[in-house]
Amino acid sequence: MLKSATGLVAALAFAAGAQAAYPDRPVTLVVPSVPGGAADMVGRLVAEQLGKQWNVPIIVENKPGGATIIGTQAVIKAAPDGYTLLLGIDASFAAVPFLMEKMPYQPQKDLEPIATLSTLRYVLVASPTAPFKSVEQLLAQARARPDTITYASGGEGSTHHLGMALLEQEAGVSFKHVPYKAAPQGFVDVMGGHIDMMFLAASTAIQPVRGGKVQGLANTAATPIPDLPDLPMLKDKVKGFTFDSWFGLFAPAGTPPAVVDKLTASVQSVLRDPQVRDKLQAQGLAAGEGGPRELRERIGADTRRLAPVIAKIKSQQNKP
């Protein structure tokens, strides 16, 4: 009994020491997408604030490619000590593993959720030359001529792809998907009139919509976007339809609980800062809420909602 109690005390002392010491050297935050997008912006904002709080550098490293697999795998392979973290994107957990024939890892088992960093609204944008000027006209044309209206995405299984696939399902229409290696490439072609439309992060859409470079057809969120207050709500055009996405912080599985607790508390402290919340709001984003349990629950809910859409995408992929 004495030996067991002594071991427990030693373990608790080690955990407390690990939490107190962490972090005592630079931390790397891997963003599995290209620089300049919403994920990159959120990652850099959180990294900057955590660096100030901890008084250690937080190095943001972009590792795009493979539908976020390249960057995600790099974190999974890293030592589970809290010094290599992942900015996780919702599709990486709720969609990509079910779309790929073979995955080199299982994200829900190989990564430890820390906290939701931010939720992201989207804007349905259309080319200035698109033959529709409203959601009503878009849906009417799609019903009259299925699979003729094109939309861009950041690749098969990307958030942009899945959001549009959900819209097709709930509106009872069919569009033509044109995947790109990254969403910014697709957006360039939407602005240029080569592609009809896409779901675009509000953080990216605000200025082009205001400047008339693209048409802003609708806001996909449940609440208005402050910087685009007159934008129609998609939920009013397609009954009850809303769509957003999230960015979360993850560590490799096996990261010590004391380190996970320190990370969670530190991130939540950053996200309560009014200046951080204002910066996110200005980009069409909302500060995240909740810790590991809530993030796991969100992944589960997203997986269930996307299951029929993913089944349809896979059946289309298997067609000769």
Side-chain angles (χ1 to χ4, degrees), residues 123-135 138 149-150 164 187 189-193 195-200 208-209 212-218:
V123 174
L124 177 58
V125 300
S127 164
T129 60
F132 45 83
K133 305 299 178 185
S134 67
V135 173
L138 162 65
I149 297 173
T150 57
M164 197 64 74
F187 181 48
D189 278 356
V190 172
M191 287 193 293
I195 300 293
D196 292 321
M197 63 179 183
M198 72 181 297
F199 274 156
L200 188 66
V209 169
K213 293 182 178 180
V214 290
Q215 300 180 66
L217 298 185

Side-chain angles (χ1 to χ4, degrees), residues 2-319:
L2 179 60
K3 183 175 180 181
S4 176
T6 302
L8 177 61
V9 170
L12 292 173
F14 175 80
Q19 184 169 5
Y22 174 84
D24 59 4
R25 54 188 170 87
V27 174
T28 297
L29 174 62
V30 174
V31 177
S33 61
V34 296
D40 184 61
M41 188 277 288
V42 170
R44 291 181 187 279
L45 175 61
V46 171
E48 179 185 9
Q49 298 303 314
L50 283 178
K52 290 178 181 178
Q53 185 180 128
W54 292 339
N55 198 31
V56 298
I58 313 295
I59 302 164
V60 176
E61 186 175 342
N62 294 88
K63 284 184 174 291
T68 74
I69 289 175
I70 293 173
T72 302
Q73 190 171 21
V75 175
I76 288 172
K77 290 181 176 180
D81 54 12
Y83 288 94
T84 304
L85 305 173
L86 174 73
L87 187 141
I89 299 170
D90 54 355
S92 304
F93 294 80
V96 172
F98 306 100
L99 285 168
M100 298 293 180
E101 289 297 325
K102 291 183 179 180
M103 282 288 290
Y105 54 83
Q106 296 181 353
Q108 294 194 50
K109 292 183 178 180
D110 295 333
L111 288 164
E112 189 76 37
I114 305 298
T116 303
L117 299 178
S118 177
T119 55
L120 174 64
R121 298 179 174 102
Y122 286 86
V123 174
L124 177 58
V125 300
S127 164
T129 60
F132 45 83
K133 305 299 178 185
S134 67
V135 173
E136 291 88 347
Q137 291 179 8
L138 162 65
L139 295 178
Q141 182 173 326
R143 290 181 179 120
R145 293 190 292 160
D147 298 316
T148 60
I149 297 173
T150 57
Y151 73 91
S153 81
E156 293 282 348
S158 66
T159 303
H160 320 84
H161 179 202
L162 297 170
M164 197 64 74
L166 281 169
L167 178 59
E168 288 179 299
Q169 174 181 278
E170 297 191 23
V173 295
S174 181
F175 307 125
K176 183 178 180 181
H177 179 211
V178 183
Y180 287 77
K181 290 183 178 179
Q185 297 172 351
F187 181 48
V188 168
D189 278 356
V190 172
M191 287 193 293
H194 306 294
I195 300 293
D196 292 321
M197 63 179 183
M198 72 181 297
F199 274 156
L200 188 66
S203 55
T204 306
I206 291 170
Q207 293 306 321
V209 169
R210 281 177 165 177
K213 293 182 178 180
V214 290
Q215 300 180 66
L217 298 185
N219 163 20
T220 72
T223 57
I225 298 171
D227 287 327
L228 294 172
D230 299 326
L231 197 64
M233 305 294 289
L234 191 53
K235 67 177 183 177
D236 297 332
K237 311 297 180 181
V238 178
K239 188 177 178 180
F241 180 89
T242 60
F243 179 73
D244 63 7
S245 61
W246 52 262
F247 304 119
L249 187 66
F250 295 81
T255 298
V259 173
V260 171
D261 291 345
K262 175 73 176 285
L263 280 164
T264 301
S266 296
V267 168
Q268 292 178 331
S269 174
V270 164
L271 296 175
R272 285 193 295 268
D273 185 329
Q275 291 186 342
V276 171
R277 298 178 79 88
D278 287 347
K279 286 180 179 179
L280 290 170
Q281 184 72 29
Q283 297 294 330
L285 297 145
E289 304 286 346
R293 179 175 62 84
E294 291 80 7
L295 186 47
R296 283 194 184 93
E297 290 174 353
R298 178 66 193 261
I299 293 170
D302 287 351
T303 302
R304 290 188 292 274
R305 185 187 185 196
L306 290 170
V309 168
I310 290 170
K312 182 179 178 181
I313 292 171
K314 290 189 74 172
S315 69
Q316 291 173 340
Q317 289 175 339
N318 293 331
K319 285 182 180 180

